[in-house]
Amino acid sequence: MELLAPAKNLECGIAAIDHGADAVYIGAQRFGARAAAGNSVADIRQLCQYAHTFRAKVYVTVNTILYDSELDDTRLLLSDLQQAGVDAILVQDMALLHRSATLPSPLPLHASTQTDNRTAAKVRWLRGLGYRRVVLARELSVSEIRAIHEAVPDVELEVFVHGALCVSFSGLCYASQYCFRRSANRGECAQFCRMPFDLVDADDRVIERNRHLLSLKDLCQIDNLEALADAGATSFKIEGRLKDVAYVKNVTAAYSQRLNQIIRRHPDRYCRASLGRCTYTFEPNLQKTFNRGYTAYFANGRQADIASFDTPKAMGEFVGTVKELRNHSFNVAGMTSFANGDGLCFVNADRQLVGFRVNRVEGNRLYPQRMPDGLHAGIRLYRNSDQAMERLLAKPSAERKIPVTMTLSAIADGFRLSANDVSVEMTIDHQKADKPQRDNIIRQLTKLGNTPFNCSEVSMSDDFDFFIPSSLLAELRRRIVERLLEQGNIGNDEADEADETTGADETTGADRTAGAEPYRQSHLYNIANHEAAHFYGTGELTAYELMPTPDAMLMQCRHCLRYSLGACVKHGGHRPAWREPLYLRLGDGRRFRLEFDCSNCQMNVYAAHR
């Protein structure tokens, strides 16, 4: 079981490892699907060195579509990343199949969720191209993941388990590019889906007014981890390469603890993918971290309450209801403790989120900096900034140590010290001890200080009665720590082996197109350079970013407004009174036609030009 955490930067990456991640994913300076979260190769190298101590892995996102002018720079980046010691790269653009294969030792490839991976056929096709791992679409259910694993058991499946949700299938969203000339496939998403819309019908009748109809709650699968593992998921991914270090610490620790609980129940079936045990100075609590409210999304089938229509902002944890207002303060009913500086919020009568900060706390009586408009008795309060938690997470909040058992034994010309399958020897004359030495030997050998190791047991034979000076015991300890560190940093065996299945030139363009499950519109292939065009056998650049077409599909969504509004007859809803087609309308008047593809249980979004 691999817990995969996000790293906005080196600090977040190290924090993720310290708090229980088995792997981290991070962006380089360019070509990652979060353009605002780039890092130098030097920082990535340092992160690799730290992670590999615990046999944790580092994956780098190179998952944007690429233009012809960028291919040579990308090839140089891949070479630098390989030398830095990364364990794999996440890829969307098929040009990188060839570019990676030209490296002295090809980097393992993971198919990014940007390649739209939702069927067994697609996963099988990607595996045949040489991808070691496929990051599945967030929209899949546990049963769909199980079916993919059973159909393609020899490929690793990575699933998102926590964080923000894109309403469109990843890689197939062009709304940001259409509206703002900022491409989601180039790491520059402007979050079109978090905007407020009116929903109007074919007669311009307003069905919903000024609501965030495409804004989803945040994903939380912490209660589905065991089901996902049983279904065949290998890696459990936390979203958040734009999130701060406090988010990474809290969420990683919460999921790490839950994975450990599962392993304790099933030690014969599961184990962690890296080494080390973590201790924390805080109690992880997902409610105290940025969230828009949580949903398990489609894990257990279609659910109505997956969207956050009232606000796209973080609401946080429910902390109680307002009991009564008095002058410039109010009382909160409930058992929650508050602190000066806490950020609170509520939804007012106009369905708007109102936030304010607490200036002073006296028990459950709160004195805000300014009494917010619309606050009244009975309103539900949420805390989206917890000062006590933030103070804890601002300090060193976890320590990760690899447990070792040491064995000291006499050999013909000295002594051997062994730990975790490595050993060191020292040539020294045997000298019988005048008094018992066992306690001093244990004390000296377990002084591991700031190393990543912790020794709770030193084993010696019952008749071990030799005197070894403390200075020599310290030297033995130093040597064994060096060997243990070397063992952790020898690199990933998988990364050192060429993948013989890459074969980017072994199939024809037609075969590749068939394997990719052709869409009705060719721009959905995201072909932005001539190497990708050659791969697909089209000879044309069809990416929407290069050739925007007026009637293109801008989004494919499993989220369905018909269903969310109770008007899906297929799923037992009422027959709607509106006349279709329906449109989403922005405040500036731009309209987007909705197509309800009931055969695929999917809602598609198109630009409308009237």
Side-chain angles (χ1 to χ4, degrees):
M1 297 174 114
E2 177 188 270
L3 178 59
L4 177 56
K8 177 172 68 174
N9 51 33
L10 175 61
E11 178 193 15
C12 287
I14 290 175
I17 299 298
D18 286 343
H19 288 72
D22 301 295
V24 296
Y25 63 105
I26 188 169
Q29 287 176 317
R30 297 177 66 188
F31 313 128
R34 295 290 184 273
N39 295 273
S40 69
V41 173
D43 279 356
I44 292 172
R45 179 181 294 107
Q46 187 175 340
L47 179 57
C48 289
Q49 291 169 347
Y50 188 78
H52 291 167
T53 298
F54 301 95
R55 295 194 187 176
K57 296 180 179 180
V58 176
Y59 309 135
V60 176
T61 56
V62 191
N63 58 340
T64 62
I65 58 172
L66 302 167
Y67 297 153
D68 281 312
S69 60
E70 297 169 330
L71 291 177
D72 289 341
D73 286 344
T74 308
R75 168 64 171 77
L76 293 174
L77 174 63
L78 296 185
S79 179
D80 289 342
L81 292 174
Q82 183 180 53
Q83 294 177 32
V86 305
D87 297 283
I89 54 172
L90 285 87
V91 169
Q92 174 183 191
D93 198 303
M94 293 301 166
L96 291 189
L97 280 171
H98 171 69
R99 293 281 164 163
S100 175
T102 63
L103 295 173
S105 177
L107 278 166
L109 300 179
H110 294 179
S112 169
T113 191
Q114 294 294 116
T115 55
D116 181 31
N117 311 315
R118 44 177 146 156
T119 67
K122 183 67 171 288
V123 173
R124 183 183 296 108
W125 177 72
L126 290 165
R127 179 67 185 95
L129 294 172
Y131 287 93
R132 297 274 182 90
R133 175 183 294 186
V134 175
V135 187
L136 296 179
R138 293 169 172 86
E139 290 83 356
L140 297 186
S141 67
V142 172
S143 60
E144 287 171 320
I145 292 169
R146 178 178 291 105
I148 290 173
H149 172 65
E150 290 174 351
V152 198
D154 58 342
V155 65
E156 297 176 4
L157 300 180
E158 181 177 303
V159 298
F160 281 91
V161 294
H162 195 89
L165 287 166
C166 298
V167 71
S168 176
F169 283 98
S170 293
L172 304 181
C173 181
Y174 309 95
S176 178
Q177 173 69 25
Y178 172 81
C179 288
F180 310 109
R181 299 298 183 265
R182 290 175 54 181
S183 168
N185 282 313
R186 299 275 296 165
E188 299 173 340
C189 176
Q191 296 196 314
F192 169 87
C193 58
R194 302 296 181 188
M195 299 178 73
F197 298 93
D198 295 336
L199 180 66
V200 299
D201 71 1
D203 299 318
D204 278 345
R205 186 169 67 92
V206 177
I207 302 165
E208 296 284 341
R209 188 179 299 279
N210 198 38
R211 303 198 73 189
H212 301 271
L213 297 170
L214 297 181
S215 182
L216 301 180
K217 294 180 178 179
D218 286 356
L219 181 65
C220 182
Q221 300 278 37
I222 197 163
D223 293 327
N224 289 321
L225 292 179
E226 189 168 348
L228 290 167
D230 290 346
T234 299
S235 181
F236 305 92
K237 186 172 194 171
I238 298 167
E239 180 276 339
R241 281 201 299 119
L242 296 178
K243 298 295 200 305
D244 61 21
V245 70
Y247 171 95
V248 172
K249 288 180 174 184
N250 186 34
V251 178
T252 301
Y255 276 83
S256 183
Q257 288 185 341
R258 185 63 64 90
L259 286 180
N260 288 341
Q261 292 173 10
I262 295 170
I263 291 168
R264 282 194 292 271
R265 289 199 301 271
H266 306 288
D268 56 329
R269 296 171 61 187
Y270 300 118
C271 65
R272 294 298 290 269
S274 64
L275 304 176
R277 295 174 183 168
C278 300
T279 56
Y280 306 101
T281 65
F282 69 102
E283 185 65 34
N285 185 338
L286 295 177
Q287 295 298 328
K288 295 182 180 294
T289 287
F290 181 100
N291 71 84
R292 301 174 177 88
Y294 286 129
T295 175
Y297 208 23
F298 292 95
N300 301 306
R302 184 173 286 280
Q303 309 293 322
D305 190 26
I306 64 174
S308 178
F309 287 170
D310 291 331
T311 177
K313 299 178 181 178
M315 293 186 65
E317 61 176 332
F318 172 69
V319 291
T321 57
V322 175
K323 189 174 181 180
E324 53 91 18
L325 282 71
R326 183 192 313 159
N327 297 327
H328 297 292
S329 68
F330 61 92
N331 196 284
V332 179
M335 302 297 292
T336 304
S337 297
F338 298 92
N340 296 346
D342 277 355
L344 302 180
C345 60
F346 62 93
V347 178
N348 67 14
D350 295 325
R351 292 176 170 172
Q352 300 296 312
L353 188 70
V354 178
F356 61 97
R357 192 164 295 277
V358 176
N359 195 45
R360 179 161 56 95
V361 175
E362 293 180 2
N364 272 27
R365 179 156 291 278
L366 309 182
Y367 295 80
Q369 290 178 329
R370 183 184 64 82
M371 284 292 285
D373 295 335
L375 189 70
H376 59 79
I379 209 161
R380 291 170 64 86
L381 280 179
Y382 298 84
R383 176 163 53 193
N384 54 13
S385 178
D386 187 314
Q387 288 298 298
M389 187 69 160
E390 289 178 16
R391 283 193 291 269
L392 283 174
L393 294 175
K395 304 173 184 177
S397 49
E399 184 178 62
R400 182 168 180 166
K401 295 286 187 179
I402 301 171
V404 297
T405 298
M406 295 192 186
T407 300
L408 181 64
S409 57
I411 57 177
D413 55 353
F415 298 94
R416 177 186 294 120
L417 181 62
S418 302
N420 289 24
D421 300 324
V422 301
S423 61
V424 296
E425 296 179 358
M426 179 179 289
T427 301
I428 181 178
D429 292 337
H430 291 172
Q431 183 180 348
K432 292 292 184 180
D434 294 331
K435 55 183 180 180
Q437 294 293 305
R438 188 174 294 267
D439 289 347
N440 182 59
I441 290 172
I442 293 173
R443 184 165 54 251
Q444 294 298 326
L445 293 180
T446 56
K447 287 181 179 179
L448 294 174
N450 292 326
T451 73
F453 306 104
N454 177 59
C455 179
S456 58
E457 181 182 355
V458 178
S459 175
M460 292 169 278
S461 63
D462 292 339
D463 59 353
F464 191 96
D465 59 352
F466 300 102
F467 169 75
I468 306 176
S470 294
S471 61
L472 297 183
L473 288 170
E475 177 62 15
L476 276 170
R477 183 186 67 228
R478 185 190 66 78
R479 291 186 187 179
I480 200 70
V481 167
E482 284 184 352
R483 289 297 309 279
L484 288 167
L485 288 172
E486 290 171 1
Q487 185 188 49
N489 279 295
I490 56 176
N492 175 17
D493 291 340
E494 289 185 351
D496 294 334
E497 298 173 1
D499 191 329
E500 297 177 356
T501 63
T502 300
D505 293 319
E506 293 177 3
T507 55
T508 67
D511 290 336
R512 292 168 189 151
T513 305
E517 301 170 309
Y519 300 103
R520 286 175 293 172
Q521 294 170 282
S522 61
H523 75 278
L524 298 174
Y525 283 124
N526 297 325
I527 300 172
N529 61 75
H530 284 89
E531 289 188 16
H534 173 73
F535 171 85
Y536 283 110
T538 66
E540 297 179 357
L541 305 184
T542 61
Y544 184 84
E545 289 77 2
L546 296 176
M547 300 180 63
T549 52
D551 300 318
M553 184 191 302
L554 299 180
M555 285 182 168
Q556 294 185 32
C557 311
R558 205 164 202 179
H559 166 53
C560 176
L561 285 173
R562 235 193 220 169
Y563 183 88
S564 294
L565 297 174
C568 175
V569 178
K570 182 178 178 180
H571 286 91
H574 60 80
R575 187 170 296 280
W578 62 64
R579 189 168 71 88
E580 296 186 5
L582 301 184
Y583 298 86
L584 294 172
R585 185 174 65 196
L586 282 173
D588 61 9
R590 282 181 290 182
R591 295 154 58 95
F592 304 85
R593 178 174 60 85
L594 302 182
E595 173 189 73
F596 297 100
D597 180 0
C598 295
S599 61
N600 292 307
C601 213
Q602 179 172 297
M603 180 179 75
N604 301 322
V605 182
Y606 293 83
H609 303 283
R610 72 171 183 83

